[in-house]
Amino acid sequence: MNIDLFDLRALLFLPASNPRAILKARASDADLVILDLEDAVKPGDKASARDAAVAAVAQDWPMPVAIRINGVGTRYHDADLAAVAGANCDLVVLPSVRSAEEVRSIRLGIPLAAMIESAAAVLDARAIARHCNALIVGTNDLAADLRLPDGDRAAMGYALQATVLAARAMGVAVFDGVFNAIDDPAGFAAEAAEGRALGFDGKTLIHPSQIAPCHAAFAPSVEELARAGRLVAAATGGAERFEGAMIEAMHVEAARRMLARAGR
């Protein structure tokens, strides 16, 4: 399945070792399902999870499906890499990337997403983005690496913006990290809205209940779409006045991009 990573909004992580979770994910409205071989899988279950992921992606899926392998330098990495090289997945997710060299070492012929989860990765994000197809911020590990009390997201503001800047500069998609409190829908909605405001294309999720609010947060509102349509229709080129504001070609391009993403 050929995928446009810029069209993805809701990216659902689940343990590849959990067949029930895989079954539920296949019936969900996630834009991408990521079968995890890393953090969500116990050391003793790594081999069986790897086999389960390869078997799962061999089936037909209603949405694109990815596999997150274990990171470079771990004792599971080489076996994971060999397994996904022959697997039918649409994307490979590489966690705990610390440098562009690590990304450059992956030769699979499959689109690759690199996870920005450390201070070193943030500082090398532009070079990392040059060698992959998407960046994903791993906010939990990033907060730990930055030694932030209580995983304070506000204190990660520079790191989040730097990752978005790197992705945009290199023309790759970029996705926000997970929200841990499954039973706090209002908190999730607020964080997802903030992610969209920062420029992220979508958000990674840890539970199917977060899919619908994620779509809602990253979709333009009715009012935004209506204004975008009026703007495109009214634009004649160059700087001009529109509904009390000055617009230029960049505003028209942004409006067209919004309408295209919404299928208008």
Side-chain angles (χ1 to χ4, degrees):
M1 182 184 296
N2 292 323
I3 60 173
D4 185 343
L5 293 170
F6 292 100
D7 283 342
L8 305 180
R9 291 174 181 157
L11 287 67
L12 178 64
F13 275 107
L14 58 93
S17 55
N18 188 333
R20 185 178 176 187
I22 292 175
L23 191 63
K24 285 186 176 181
R26 286 170 58 84
S28 77
D29 290 324
D31 297 314
L32 176 75
V33 171
I34 305 174
L35 305 177
D36 190 18
L37 304 180
E38 197 217 11
D39 285 347
V41 178
K42 298 175 183 178
D45 295 335
K46 295 287 189 181
S48 59
R50 185 184 306 122
D51 292 341
V54 171
V57 299
Q59 303 172 15
D60 289 330
W61 285 71
M63 73 284 286
V65 59
I67 297 177
R68 177 165 74 168
I69 62 177
N70 286 275
V72 175
T74 66
R75 60 193 177 102
Y76 312 106
H77 177 74
D78 289 345
D80 287 353
L81 208 56
V84 299
N88 191 38
C89 56
D90 301 291
L91 179 75
V92 172
V93 179
L94 182 65
S96 305
V97 172
R98 299 189 67 84
S99 70
E101 230 8 87
E102 291 185 354
V103 182
R104 195 161 36 222
S105 70
I106 306 297
R107 299 278 187 247
L108 291 171
I110 304 170
L112 181 70
M115 295 199 68
I116 305 299
E117 303 187 86
S118 66
V122 171
L123 294 178
D124 207 25
R126 183 174 179 181
I128 291 169
R130 184 178 290 115
H131 299 287
C132 65
N133 305 93
L135 299 180
I136 300 173
V137 183
T139 43
N140 287 330
D141 286 283
L142 181 58
D145 192 62
L146 297 177
R147 301 179 188 176
L148 301 180
D150 302 319
D152 186 357
R153 182 175 167 92
M156 283 188 280
Y158 170 79
L160 296 174
Q161 292 174 331
T163 304
V164 172
L165 284 169
R168 294 291 172 248
M170 301 312 299
V172 303
V174 60
F175 302 101
D176 200 359
V178 300
F179 183 77
N180 297 319
I182 298 171
D183 297 324
D184 182 7
F188 175 86
E191 185 171 290
E194 179 195 63
R196 185 189 175 210
L198 286 172
F200 286 102
D201 294 301
K203 188 170 180 63
T204 49
L205 316 175
I206 58 172
H207 195 272
S209 65
Q210 297 174 331
I211 296 171
C214 181
H215 281 145
F218 281 91
S221 67
V222 173
E223 292 77 12
E224 287 177 303
L225 288 171
R227 184 179 186 278
R230 295 195 304 272
L231 190 154
V232 169
T236 59
E240 54 191 313
R241 187 181 182 90
F242 171 74
E243 297 186 359
M246 292 302 297
I247 63 169
E248 299 179 29
M250 69 185 78
H251 300 104
V252 180
E253 290 173 9
R256 284 179 174 150
R257 187 165 56 246
M258 179 187 293
L259 291 169
R261 194 175 190 194
R264 300 286 180 97

